[in-house]
Amino acid sequence: MSNKGVLITGGQSEMGPLAAAQMRLASFAPYRWFVAAIIWIADKLGLRGRSLVIAMPYLWLLVFFLLPFAIVFKLSFSEIAIAIPPYTPIVSWVDGIYLRLQLSFESYQLLFEDSLYIKAYLNSIKIATVSTLLTLLIGYPMAYGMVRAPKQWRTTLLMLVILPFWTSFLIRVYAWIGILKTKGLLNLLLMNLGIISEPLTILNTNVAVYIGIVYSYLPFMILPLYANLEKLDGSLLEAAADLGCGPFKAFWTITIPLSTAGIVAGCFLVFIPAVGEFVIPDLLGGSDTLMIGKTLWVEFFNNRDWPLASAVAVLLLLILIVPIVLFQKFQERANAQSA
Amino acid sequence: MKQFSRFNLISLLLGFSFLYLPIIILIIFSFNESKLVTVWGGWSTKWYAELLQNQGIKDAAWVTLKVAFISASVAAVLGTIAGMTLSRFGRFRGRTLFSGMIYAPMVMPDVIIGLSLLLMFVALAVDRGIATITIAHITFSLCYVAVVVQSRLSSFDDSIEEAALDLGCTPAKTFLFITLPVIFPAVISGWLLAFTLSLDDLVIASFTSGPGSTTLPMKIYSQVRLGVTPEINAVSTILVGLVACGVLLASYINRRQAKQRQADEQMAAQAD
Amino acid sequence: MHENKEFYPWLDAKQKPYIQIERVTKKFGDFVAIDNLSLDIYRNEFFALLGPSGCGKTTLLRMLAGFEKPTEGRILLDGEDVSSVPPHQRLVNMMFQSYALFPHMTVEKNIGFGLKQDKVPAAQIKKRVDDMLELVQLGQFARRKPHQLSGGQRQRVALARSLIKQPKLLLLDEPLGALDKKLREQTQFELMNLQEELGITFMIVTHDQEEAMTVSSRIGLMINGDLEQVATPSELYETPKSRFVAEFIGDVNLLEGRYDGSGEFGLTMVCKESDSAIQSTQRLDVAHGTTIWAAIRPEKLEISKQRPEGTPNVLKGKVWDIGYGGSFSTYHVHLPNGKAMTAVRANRERSLEKSITWEDDVYLSWAPKSAVILTD
């Protein structure tokens, strides 16, 4: 792309912003390649109709989701170099005749030798696990309360859970800074109430990270739980009561086991993104809060070590692949069952 | 039998206070006269006035809106097709990979998506800017749209499409005149979701942006790192307010339609 | 069946009712679901609550189970007021319409659930569950989960689960509603046998009048939150109290007319469909000119081509339609003024050649004792 200037100043163009954007999108190389690729592949395969329709999102995801992972994987075997881009090529021509493959395991070696990275991985998993359990502890009673609330409240309550999910993540995390810092509102309140005499240090500790994760991901826990508990057949609880089972016991023997699907879905939805979380540990955590997402960011932006950042990403992915695959299997099965 | 106990009420009250107090406090303090965020200096809208003078934030907001609009629109189209594919096309070669690629971006850490896209753009020597951010946003948004559309499709059975085909409607026309109108609410809410996801995104935009294409979250982030300022509170309040209005309006329209429908059905039932 | 054994405890003044529903009212907000209803049910009865949807029959059942509390009035079980006893402490069990089988438990666990709540020793639970499985013929399915069973099998598991605690009263909410016709008929007889064998008082809610007539000793017909008539199945059919009852139970031809004195048999009624006054053996104590109705069941209407002798009640009409029903045929006959009447005739002879056919002019007649005269 040579006309970057056009891209940036496009807003002042005489065309409406949408038309201008479309024009730019149409003249934008990757998009043209994409469309060309669809037509070429469709022609080659003799695809028509249905297949062509499937091909559009399929190819998009192949090109912009799967292919980038291949590149990350490739780059993790490069070496850092002072160049643009800052890494050595893996494949190069020698004397214009031989193709030389040069794999470097330096980044991976570093990951395993420097305890910082191992610690960051383990700590991410620990923080994500603890936060997931805390989210469940707070989310379950809420989802349960919503299901039992009078019918006319339910839409409103559901709305109240969904609303934060639509508002900016960054802003919601930011809101806690003013509350948690040493001279923040929470300390002010507690000191005025006489509960503490010295301000608590919460911001820039793991506690703040837990609060941030629980707060940000709570809707992800509540929604699947609510959906699940709402489907729970009320006559099952009545049948239990009819057979002599008290309300508390019925909760443990009927409600909890039957909401396992919701619990599992909610936990996955909180745990998986929490492991790779960057914004929360960066804004609320301290310098000693090691989380792998933050480490990746620092390696990439501050140290400009792209191969190492790639290696970190590959390992993070390997850690997450198990829960992600489990989650997908779980979802497909749940979909099949409800159908 | 279904009694709403005191325990239920308390857990809802505490839970929703936890969800809403921080945002409410932030909104209140955006109207604070004082520069100090913990000291109340009386009501004032001066931070909003100052915001209007801040060219950097206005530019970033404009970039963000453009990216969000284009990426949501493209994602709505691609995501609708993907959702159709998942729920209506049954088995086809590569279905597992496809559904994997739909679900994975939703749970994949942003840092990985951002890094991988950036590395690809670099490898292909594409200059980074608004367009690259837009592509990145389309990629993850289309998955959300696909899931929303798919769940809508699975809630009504495919016999109406079969009926259309049976009556001689071509598949393409069936999609345009039968399926699309039915799933249109889902496409709209998918679009809205994609729009807000794009408005929100910090991490992926940070990776895929180039010089001069700073989005609002990036701008906010760079200032937040320096501490809490009333000006950021004001920006946040505007963003939260806009989204809240949008969501409430959408749900109001939704509810009114549902009520109208219910009334119609009741009228129809009485006609029997 | 019960008639054979001369089981009429409600006619015996010395019998004490087992379940007493005393002036019970249930309101949901402004909506009155049950309106000042009283009912006595006797030990070992198989009582059926019948009524159109929304008549409050399920609400009444749920009050007996304890899921709803009466707004006013009280419910006595074996002489004891149970109005405010929570469901898990009541000696009443219920079989749910949806069966409400616990999906995460095996058949065995489902059936044993009630005993486990009473802390019955495990060995004893095992034995009683096994007995119950045998009773409902599900021995080899003990380890299955509900979703691995057919509809009929699930129904039997639900029944076993509600019977295992040997409740004082078993409530059945549309227990056969989810089964197909053939299975339903077979299960009806199984239910009756089981009820006699176990000696448990049953109360069934159904909207299927045939089912109610087949299984029950008495039927309570409900409308708008109150009982319209409580009677044995045959009383309900042969001597309905009102037009509503007559029309709800089976098919009926209704002729509207005015009371015209006692006449030769018992009473006479003049109506516009008939040239001569209609005669009935029934006696009424109402004023001349009062609007009354003659209700004639289709099978009690004779249909013939020649004018019948020996009865004063004859109407002339034209055959409009014939429905062939195998063992019987249904004739739709239009009277000169357009009123449609239905007559049913058993197909006693195996003749495909119909003596009466479309457009034939026919006579409809009935004996003075065959019609029921209704004032409501």
Side-chain angles (χ1 to χ4, degrees):
Chain A
M1 281 293 288
S2 52
N3 53 344
K4 194 163 65 190
V6 177
L7 263 176
I8 293 160
T9 57
Q12 281 101 41
S13 126
E14 282 173 16
M15 290 184 283
L18 177 60
Q22 279 173 340
M23 284 296 289
R24 261 174 281 124
L25 190 66
S27 62
F28 181 56
Y31 181 76
R32 282 207 316 263
W33 300 339
F34 175 71
V35 174
I38 289 179
I39 294 170
W40 182 78
I41 291 172
D43 265 6
K44 267 274 182 264
L45 299 176
L47 293 178
R48 263 174 303 123
R50 188 183 119 128
S51 310
L52 189 64
V53 168
I54 301 179
M56 285 199 283
Y58 208 131
L59 275 174
W60 183 284
L61 288 171
L62 280 179
V63 172
F64 295 115
F65 184 69
L66 213 57
L67 179 63
F69 278 114
I71 292 173
V72 169
F73 191 67
K74 188 197 105 186
L75 210 79
S76 69
F77 293 103
S78 292
E79 265 176 59
I80 182 168
I82 301 172
I84 295 175
Y87 52 86
T88 59
I90 287 181
V91 184
S92 56
W93 294 100
V94 178
D95 307 330
I97 306 165
Y98 306 107
L99 204 59
R100 193 178 61 170
L101 187 70
Q102 192 180 23
L103 290 181
S104 160
F105 293 93
E106 204 180 293
S107 303
Y108 289 100
Q109 219 173 339
L110 197 62
L111 282 187
F112 289 107
E113 276 172 6
D114 193 335
S115 65
L116 175 91
Y117 299 104
I118 302 291
K119 266 191 198 155
Y121 278 113
L122 293 178
N123 210 38
S124 298
I125 293 173
K126 189 193 104 190
I127 289 181
T129 310
V130 173
S131 331
T132 303
L133 293 178
L134 288 173
T135 315
L136 179 64
L137 276 178
I138 297 174
Y140 201 100
M142 286 183 73
Y144 190 61
M146 285 167 64
V147 171
R148 310 243 301 179
K151 258 217 166 69
Q152 64 271 25
W153 295 7
R154 287 215 205 137
T155 342
T156 315
L157 289 175
L158 202 57
M159 200 70 245
L160 283 174
V161 175
I162 295 171
L163 201 57
F165 170 81
W166 290 77
T167 49
S168 171
F169 187 75
L170 180 61
I171 290 172
R172 286 187 294 140
V173 174
Y174 160 75
W176 280 99
I177 298 178
I179 298 172
L180 295 179
K181 63 184 189 175
T182 319
K183 288 180 183 167
L185 293 164
L186 183 66
N187 275 320
L188 224 58
L189 178 75
L190 291 177
M191 277 160 74
N192 281 342
L193 289 174
I195 298 171
I196 51 169
S197 52
E198 292 284 305
L200 299 169
T201 314
I202 304 175
L203 191 66
N204 303 329
T205 67
N206 280 357
V207 176
V209 176
Y210 289 138
I211 294 176
I213 294 179
V214 171
Y215 178 71
S216 307
Y217 290 105
L218 192 55
F220 290 89
M221 179 65 83
I222 296 177
L223 291 177
L225 279 175
Y226 174 81
N228 184 280
L229 286 170
E230 202 197 17
K231 271 188 287 180
L232 183 78
D233 184 357
S235 66
L236 292 179
L237 292 175
E238 289 186 346
D242 186 64
L243 295 165
C245 189
F248 192 71
K249 205 171 164 210
F251 178 78
W252 285 105
T253 50
I254 310 293
T255 311
I256 293 270
L258 287 178
S259 55
T260 320
I263 295 175
V264 173
C267 287
F268 272 129
L269 284 177
V270 175
F271 179 82
I272 296 169
V275 171
E277 186 50 55
F278 162 72
V279 177
I280 297 171
D282 187 58
L283 290 182
L284 300 180
S287 51
D288 59 333
T289 308
L290 280 175
M291 278 190 82
I292 203 64
K294 197 176 145 193
T295 309
L296 192 155
W297 180 284
V298 168
E299 289 303 338
F300 185 85
F301 285 103
N302 301 12
N303 304 345
R304 284 188 64 77
D305 191 340
W306 292 17
L308 186 59
S310 302
V312 169
V314 169
L315 266 190
L316 175 55
L317 202 63
L318 282 180
I319 291 173
L320 284 181
I321 207 90
V322 176
I324 288 178
V325 167
L326 279 179
F327 181 54
Q328 201 202 331
K329 281 262 146 60
F330 181 81
Q331 283 286 322
E332 294 239 309
R333 209 176 41 182
N335 284 349
Q337 253 169 25
S338 68
Chain B
M1 189 55 205
K2 267 204 172 174
Q3 273 163 359
F4 186 60
S5 67
R6 190 172 301 167
F7 172 75
N8 292 142
L9 184 69
I10 290 171
S11 51
L12 283 184
L13 282 178
L14 287 180
F16 282 111
S17 315
F18 176 63
L19 272 180
Y20 280 88
L21 269 183
I23 294 285
I24 292 169
I25 290 171
L26 179 139
I27 291 172
I28 292 172
F29 274 91
S30 75
F31 294 101
N32 189 1
E33 170 76 33
S34 164
K35 175 97 192 156
L36 295 166
V37 239
T38 45
V39 181
W40 184 251
W43 293 93
S44 157
T45 51
K46 74 172 180 191
W47 304 112
Y48 290 87
E50 229 158 84
L51 209 58
L52 287 176
Q53 308 298 317
N54 190 330
Q55 192 58 42
I57 283 190
K58 278 198 287 182
D59 286 347
W62 180 235
V63 169
T64 307
L65 282 177
K66 277 195 291 190
V67 169
F69 187 83
I70 300 168
S71 66
S73 305
V74 179
V77 174
L78 290 176
T80 303
I81 296 171
M84 277 284 296
T85 307
L86 280 180
S87 78
R88 286 294 192 262
F89 285 2
R91 304 241 136 249
F92 58 87
R93 250 184 305 158
R95 188 184 201 278
T96 316
L97 176 64
F98 187 62
S99 74
M101 288 194 301
I102 294 288
Y103 284 109
M106 295 196 290
V107 287
M108 195 67 73
D110 289 351
V111 280
I112 295 186
I113 297 181
L115 176 73
S116 64
L117 275 165
L118 165 73
L119 293 181
M120 187 187 73
F121 291 136
V122 170
L124 297 177
V126 175
D127 282 333
R128 279 168 282 147
I130 292 182
T132 46
I133 303 177
T134 310
I135 286 190
H137 284 187
I138 292 170
T139 306
F140 71 81
S141 299
L142 88 84
C143 303
Y144 284 90
V145 178
V147 171
V148 172
V149 168
Q150 185 199 7
S151 72
R152 167 85 184 176
L153 274 172
S154 65
S155 74
F156 81 95
D157 73 306
D158 49 8
S159 58
I160 64 162
E161 284 150 355
E162 287 170 356
L165 293 170
D166 180 63
L167 294 168
C169 194
T170 62
K173 274 189 180 169
T174 302
F175 174 75
L176 288 174
F177 297 116
I178 306 295
T179 316
L180 197 57
V182 171
I183 59 172
F184 202 65
V187 177
I188 293 289
S189 56
W191 188 90
L192 284 171
L193 187 61
F195 190 82
T196 44
L197 284 172
S198 171
L199 277 189
D200 261 16
D201 171 62
L202 163 70
V203 174
I204 295 171
S206 298
F207 275 103
T208 51
S209 76
S213 59
T214 305
T215 65
L216 194 54
M218 287 164 69
K219 194 87 190 164
I220 294 175
Y221 174 70
S222 65
Q223 296 203 9
V224 163
R225 298 207 56 162
L226 307 173
V228 178
T229 66
E231 212 171 353
I232 294 299
N233 281 354
V235 182
S236 306
T237 303
I238 293 175
L239 270 182
V240 169
L242 281 179
V243 170
C245 287
V247 174
L248 291 178
L249 186 73
S251 81
Y252 171 74
I253 291 171
N254 235 341
R255 213 182 291 187
R256 224 183 47 172
Q257 277 175 346
K259 259 196 192 138
Q260 180 63 45
R261 195 191 156 91
Q262 210 175 10
D264 287 351
E265 278 170 2
Q266 242 160 30
M267 286 270 283
Q270 275 164 7
D272 267 351
Chain C
M1 284 189 82
H2 292 290
E3 273 95 329
N4 296 341
K5 291 191 199 157
E6 305 204 343
F7 179 77
Y8 300 114
W10 50 92
L11 298 178
D12 184 351
K14 280 178 286 182
Q15 281 277 347
K16 215 176 142 273
Y18 194 49
I19 294 127
Q20 289 160 281
I21 299 166
E22 291 183 350
R23 308 179 69 78
V24 163
T25 297
K26 176 70 190 175
K27 289 180 189 162
F28 295 106
D30 287 338
F31 177 69
V32 182
I34 301 290
D35 190 5
N36 197 17
L37 182 147
S38 295
L39 175 66
D40 287 344
I41 295 167
Y42 295 84
R43 198 185 286 265
N44 291 345
E45 255 204 271
F46 198 138
F47 193 91
L49 276 178
L50 180 66
S53 55
C55 70
K57 55 190 194 297
T58 298
T59 306
L60 184 60
L61 198 74
R62 289 171 61 80
M63 280 198 286
L64 286 166
F67 298 126
E68 310 285 354
K69 273 190 194 141
T71 316
E72 282 164 44
R74 53 180 201 156
I75 294 169
L76 291 104
L77 178 61
D78 206 2
E80 189 189 337
D81 185 357
V82 294
S83 310
S84 51
V85 176
H88 61 278
Q89 288 162 9
R90 271 192 207 196
L91 298 175
V92 172
N93 284 136
M94 177 151 162
M95 188 186 147
F96 290 79
Q97 182 173 13
S98 61
Y99 306 149
L101 297 180
F102 305 126
H104 58 304
M105 296 182 190
T106 59
V107 166
E108 224 173 14
K109 288 261 161 58
N110 260 290
I111 296 178
F113 187 86
L115 295 178
K116 206 172 156 202
Q117 303 313 313
D118 290 355
K119 307 217 160 48
V120 174
Q124 210 180 325
I125 294 183
K126 174 94 180 71
K127 193 187 169 305
R128 282 170 70 180
V129 168
D130 286 345
D131 290 348
M132 211 26 119
L133 280 168
E134 200 178 322
L135 188 70
V136 296
Q137 300 149 34
L138 283 172
Q140 71 265 46
F141 300 104
R143 296 288 158 85
R144 293 224 187 153
K145 292 260 182 88
H147 69 269
Q148 296 166 311
L149 301 177
S150 74
Q153 288 164 344
R154 282 183 217 181
Q155 190 264 350
R156 296 212 294 278
V157 175
L159 187 63
R161 190 181 68 177
S162 55
L163 280 171
I164 201 163
K165 293 180 81 172
Q166 293 170 332
K168 289 186 170 179
L169 171 65
L170 180 70
L171 304 166
L172 303 109
D173 187 3
E174 303 269 7
L176 312 175
L179 305 181
D180 61 45
K181 193 170 157 45
K182 191 138 190 158
L183 194 56
R184 193 159 65 216
E185 280 167 4
Q186 182 192 333
T187 315
Q188 282 168 4
F189 287 99
E190 282 177 15
L191 265 186
M192 287 156 66
N193 292 336
L194 210 58
Q195 194 256 346
E196 271 173 53
E197 197 174 322
L198 298 171
I200 291 173
T201 310
F202 276 31
M203 183 156 177
I204 185 174
V205 153
T206 178
H207 66 273
D208 179 345
Q209 44 118 345
E210 273 179 50
E211 182 174 299
M213 311 243 308
T214 311
V215 298
S216 61
S217 57
R218 274 196 305 164
I219 295 175
L221 183 64
M222 279 187 81
I223 171 130
N224 296 334
D226 201 4
L227 286 163
E228 177 78 8
Q229 189 171 2
V230 179
T232 64
S234 58
E235 281 169 0
L236 208 59
Y237 187 78
E238 302 296 350
T239 55
K241 210 179 99 182
S242 64
R243 280 177 296 154
F244 173 78
V245 178
E247 284 185 313
F248 195 85
I249 308 285
D251 293 320
V252 73
N253 295 296
L254 281 174
L255 292 173
E256 187 179 320
R258 286 189 320 280
Y259 179 68
D260 193 32
S262 51
E264 183 186 342
F265 295 90
L267 66 79
T268 56
M269 174 182 113
V270 287
C271 74
K272 59 180 185 293
E273 281 83 11
S274 170
D275 304 333
S276 56
I278 285 168
Q279 305 281 336
S280 169
T281 51
Q282 220 170 308
R283 285 175 196 284
L284 276 181
D285 188 20
V286 295
H288 258 264
T290 309
T291 307
I292 55 174
W293 292 268
I296 315 123
R297 297 285 181 195
E299 73 278 5
K300 298 197 166 70
L301 269 184
E302 288 291 333
I303 183 167
S304 56
K305 278 184 164 172
Q306 268 80 47
R307 190 179 178 94
E309 301 296 321
T311 172
N313 303 324
V314 180
L315 300 174
K316 212 166 170 268
K318 200 185 264 283
V319 175
W320 192 255
D321 206 353
I322 304 173
Y324 179 67
S327 57
F328 59 90
S329 289
T330 309
Y331 296 86
H332 294 279
V333 176
H334 281 198
L335 302 182
N337 71 346
K339 184 171 170 67
M341 301 283 281
T342 308
V344 169
R345 198 161 76 154
N347 295 326
R348 290 208 192 83
E349 277 129 43
R350 199 175 139 266
S351 88
L352 293 172
E353 174 192 0
K354 288 188 189 78
S355 53
I356 296 171
T357 184
W358 285 273
E359 300 290 319
D360 277 352
D361 286 316
V362 291
Y363 294 95
L364 295 173
S365 60
W366 67 97
K369 64 177 196 307
S370 294
V372 182
I373 304 297
L374 303 168
T375 54
D376 181 15

